[in-house]
Amino acid sequence: MSKQSGRGRVAGLPEWDRCAVMGVVNVTPDSFSDGGRWFDTAAAVKHGLALVEEGADLVDVGGESTRPGATRVDEAEELRRVIPVVRGLASEGVTVSVDTMRACVAEQALAAGARLVNDVSGGLADPAMIPVVADAGAPFVVMHWRGFLEGGNVRGVYADVVAEVIDELHARVDAVLAGGISPDRVVVDPGLGFSKDAEHDLVLLSHLDRLLGLGHPLLVAASRKRFLGRVLAGPEGAPPPARERDAATAAVSALAAHAGAWAVRVHEVRATADAVRVARAVEGARTDSARAADNGAEGAR
Ligand code: PMM
């Protein structure tokens, strides 16, 4: 599969000629890297608009932390956190994605103007999720996570992480399609850090071509994750805090864009917006030089 066809287009969303940038707004007191910072509606909307200003193509709004050890927030509280922020951003023309495992939150977020549903359980946590998304005709992100019931990083034992994540994503995509979501609206995501350790995340990143072989646009969400802390850990082995992992995140964004990812999900947008543009320029130069070589060969005939 070529990089272009791997990147693909997601029906129901704008089309970008490069890897899209999804900025993150966590309306939570306890998210892994930015918990508590945008917990108030007005601050969260303002932050989402600032991310767009910095180059985000979409903004992903979530009201529930999935960090290891986090307890689930109740539905009423998740709705209270998420819906006004989705409405506020959508009314400003922002392409909003809702990060939720609950059908009811997805449904109300879509009614409030969200355009994409991002479910870290891949539709497993709530049996009503797939029908709700199918009925709304919305695009759906299917993320790989074995441990959505227990939370955190459990059940991360693999003989071949790439093959197993692909097989399990395949099964989830089949379920989603059987549930009536149209194939051109399905995005896949390996779920870096979810039931995976740092080595698993790196191996998955080194095989994005195989994940693209699933035949759906690919979302890569490496932002500030533990594996980057491990890669950056100094001689004492101490990983830098999450907010000091943004340059490393942008490096992953460049690699993912170059490999053909449809989008990258990041907390700090500016550097990633530059990274995906550089990747696009390199891709364009390669196409142009191949065309020039073809024309030269043609002329010489
Ligand atoms: N990671 C987090 C939250 N939502 N959604 C998708 N599709 N993929 C991810 O890897 C993902 C996600 C956890 O990150 P955060 O709480 O630091 O934003």
Side-chain angles (χ1 to χ4, degrees), residues 22 24-26 28 30-35 60 62 64-67 97-100 117-121 141-144 187-194 219-225 242 265-267:
M22 178 187 276
V24 180
V25 176
N26 284 320
T28 58
D30 60 341
S31 274
F32 174 59
S33 73
D34 58 353
D60 191 37
E64 177 168 43
S65 169
T66 49
R67 69 200 265 258
S97 143
V98 62
D99 186 344
T100 184
V117 176
N118 172 25
D119 180 351
V120 295
S121 81
V141 177
V142 176
M143 197 193 84
H144 178 270
V187 174
V188 292
D189 178 339
L192 300 175
F194 287 84
L219 174 64
V220 175
S223 189
R224 299 180 174 173
K225 284 192 174 159
R265 178 186 180 277
V266 294
H267 300 87

Side-chain angles (χ1 to χ4, degrees), residues 61-177:
V61 178
E64 177 168 43
S65 169
T66 49
R67 69 200 265 258
T71 45
R72 289 212 67 183
V73 53
D74 71 42
E75 185 174 291
E77 174 63 9
E78 191 182 348
L79 287 166
R80 190 198 65 73
R81 292 178 186 181
V82 165
I83 303 304
V85 179
V86 168
R87 187 174 296 113
L89 288 171
S91 71
E92 296 285 339
V94 176
T95 303
V96 178
S97 143
V98 62
D99 186 344
T100 184
M101 293 190 276
R102 287 196 171 102
C104 161
V105 177
E107 190 167 33
Q108 292 198 31
L110 290 167
R115 305 268 300 274
L116 170 71
V117 176
N118 172 25
D119 180 351
V120 295
S121 81
L124 283 167
D126 184 341
M129 179 63 96
I130 295 172
V132 157
V133 176
D135 279 355
F140 189 58
V141 177
V142 176
M143 197 193 84
H144 178 270
W145 186 14
R146 289 176 173 177
F148 70 93
L149 280 177
E150 306 92 329
N153 200 21
V154 296
R155 302 208 287 137
V157 179
Y158 304 86
D160 179 341
V161 67
V162 179
E164 287 169 54
V165 167
I166 287 175
D167 280 356
E168 289 164 31
L169 272 176
H170 213 292
R172 291 313 307 147
V173 169
D174 283 350
V176 156
L177 299 181

